[in-house]
Amino acid sequence: MTEPLLQVKHLSKFFTVEKNLLGQTTSVLKAVDDLSFEIFPGEALGLVGESGCGKTTVGKMLVNLYRPTAGEIWYEGKDLAQMSARERRSQCRNIQLIFQDPYGSLNPRMTVGDIISEPIRINHLLAANKVDDRVGYLLNAVGLSATYRNRFAHEFSGGQRQRVSIARALAMEPKLIVCDEPVSALDVSIQAQVLNLLSELSDEFGLTYLFIAHGLNVVKHISDRVGVMYLGRLVELAPKRELYNNPLHPYTKALLSAIPVTNPAYRRERILLEGDVSSPIDPPPGCRFASRCYARTGCIGCACETEMPELVELSPGHFVSCYLYPEVR
Ligand code: SF4
């Protein structure tokens, strides 16, 4: 059986919100709470959830921008937390991040050639006389002309800038790329082009993706498996087909109902969520979705409000965290 490229075990990230006069923490924001998943080589795992659910925080922990509060991140069988700073820096080369905002993530004072070649030069990945050829190759690989290397970021459209960001991530020759909502800032017509490009690059460069998005429609075309997050917790995880054809968690069903249908003859019933979103600051002890859950009448007397449901595998590869299913405790 193939070993996972990345394993995340019980990962948590809490931010201190308030301290008392003695400097003791009195209030914490639980951005990510006890998250576990695996990503296999060559796979694209989609991570979906609304703004503030902690998906970006997960991505930032994977690329060492945030230090986890608890839990482990294993890459190719090694625990990143146990590595020396030097080992971890060199390992981080293998995991790159593409940011959501192609306008803010590129240095406006550098040419595109310098932006792409900077990580190659700093990490001594190539001899100096080969760097220019590599920059041209990477620009071509992302669908841009090599002659653009002397231009600045402001001379490009949003889609072209995101292509430059992808070329910069590829410059480090990573195995895993964390794509943090890479198309949400782009026009709809450009989104499909960038998604297709990422798919093609996966085959060409042998890449593995963690693809973060806030809607299930975006990850549908690029993901092999999809995880759904709600307020810092993973509530459902399944192979793509299984999740779209047989969603189990009430929140996943609501997200699916929000995807527009292109066939006017087909009508899908929209599930509108009511109620307030629970606060991630000192959240309630039970299911995080309880305050908005329209399906709770099916589980009267259950522990929805007092105990957190575990993430349980109900069928091969299909995990869910909801008391509607008797296997979940
Ligand atoms: Fe709804 Fe209860 Fe399931 Fe939570 S555990 S999603 S509140 S039915």
Side-chain angles (χ1 to χ4, degrees), residues 43-56:
E43 183 186 41
L45 175 70
L47 200 55
V48 174
E50 59 198 10
S51 298
C53 74
K55 53 195 189 307
T56 296

Side-chain angles (χ1 to χ4, degrees), residues 249-250 287 289-290 293 295-296 299 304 309 322-324:
H249 196 279
C287 171
F289 188 58
C293 185
R296 278 180 59 191
C299 61
C304 288
C322 174
Y323 287 126
L324 288 177

Side-chain angles (χ1 to χ4, degrees), residues 41-68:
E43 183 186 41
L45 175 70
L47 200 55
V48 174
E50 59 198 10
S51 298
C53 74
K55 53 195 189 307
T56 296
T57 306
V58 175
K60 287 186 174 175
M61 284 191 279
L62 297 187
V63 296
N64 205 20
L65 289 177
Y66 285 155
R67 188 168 280 276

Side-chain angles (χ1 to χ4, degrees), residues 28 110 288 313:
V28 291
M110 293 170 76
R288 298 269 166 90
E313 189 171 16

Side-chain angles (χ1 to χ4, degrees), residues 97-130:
L97 177 67
I98 297 171
F99 290 94
Q100 174 180 0
D101 177 13
Y103 295 89
S105 60
L106 300 177
N107 188 332
R109 293 197 178 84
M110 293 170 76
T111 64
V112 158
D114 287 341
I115 288 171
I116 297 172
S117 63
E118 185 183 42
I120 302 175
R121 291 182 206 278
I122 288 175
N123 291 284
H124 310 291
L125 301 182
L126 285 174
N129 60 354
K130 298 215 167 116

